[in-house]
Amino acid sequence: MNKTIATVGLIALLTMSGCAITPETINRYPDIGKISTAGVGEAIYTYDKKGEQFIDYMSGKTINKTNSVKQEIIYSGFSKGVLRVTYREYINDYARAAFYQDATYDYAPPSSTMITFKGAQVEVLDADNTQIKYRVIKGFSNE
């Protein structure tokens, strides 16, 4: 009962002050276990956590209450037995220079190989210099 009254009071206060709080949301693409394809420059796997935000409608400002994090592994191509991917990380929608890294993996079709980066595991089913066919086995370790 007291929780309900406090929640109603908070909503009323935020409404009168022209403010709102947006809840945290988490998106993953593609779903773990799904077979997918991506072209060069496209994300193989993306984890996107939008943190809770406080929006002040009077000033038009949005203030992050909790950090937003976006991590992605991007297909960079395949040549001469080497598969290339790029890892990027964003905090509060800003790219972090220290969190941008290229990685290479040996790959000999038709066998599969595993891309492992920051806990994420992606099984490569087929790849060439224009696209990759894969399955996400596990997401990033901080998910």
Side-chain angles (χ1 to χ4, degrees):
M1 176 87 169
N2 288 339
K3 240 183 188 180
T4 303
I5 293 170
T7 302
V8 170
L10 177 60
I11 291 169
L13 177 64
L14 290 172
T15 303
M16 289 187 298
S17 65
C19 301
I21 294 177
T22 60
E24 176 179 280
T25 60
I26 295 177
N27 295 306
R28 292 174 182 86
Y29 181 79
D31 293 331
I32 292 174
K34 180 181 175 189
I35 294 176
S36 302
T37 59
V40 173
E42 295 178 338
I44 294 172
Y45 181 65
T46 300
Y47 170 74
D48 191 3
K49 181 187 100 172
K50 295 285 185 195
E52 192 175 73
Q53 294 181 328
F54 175 76
I55 302 168
D56 183 350
Y57 294 118
M58 310 259 312
S59 70
K61 292 184 180 178
T62 301
I63 301 162
N64 292 318
K65 290 187 69 173
T66 57
N67 280 339
S68 295
V69 175
K70 182 176 181 180
Q71 297 172 278
E72 54 189 5
I73 298 173
I74 299 163
Y75 184 54
S76 299
F78 173 70
S79 178
K80 298 179 184 175
V82 177
L83 189 74
R84 290 178 175 73
V85 297
T86 300
Y87 170 79
R88 290 192 299 201
E89 184 174 308
Y90 304 83
I91 300 295
N92 297 327
D93 295 326
Y94 292 104
R96 299 175 65 188
F99 293 94
Y100 181 95
Q101 185 175 347
D102 293 319
T104 59
Y105 298 86
D106 293 333
Y107 176 60
S111 65
S112 66
T113 195
M114 190 72 70
I115 294 171
T116 303
F117 201 92
K118 287 201 151 206
Q121 294 179 341
V122 177
E123 179 184 17
V124 177
L125 303 173
D126 191 24
D128 60 30
N129 62 342
T130 61
Q131 73 174 16
I132 184 171
K133 181 177 179 182
Y134 63 96
R135 176 185 349 216
V136 177
I137 303 300
K138 182 178 169 193
F140 294 107
S141 56
N142 65 322
E143 292 185 37

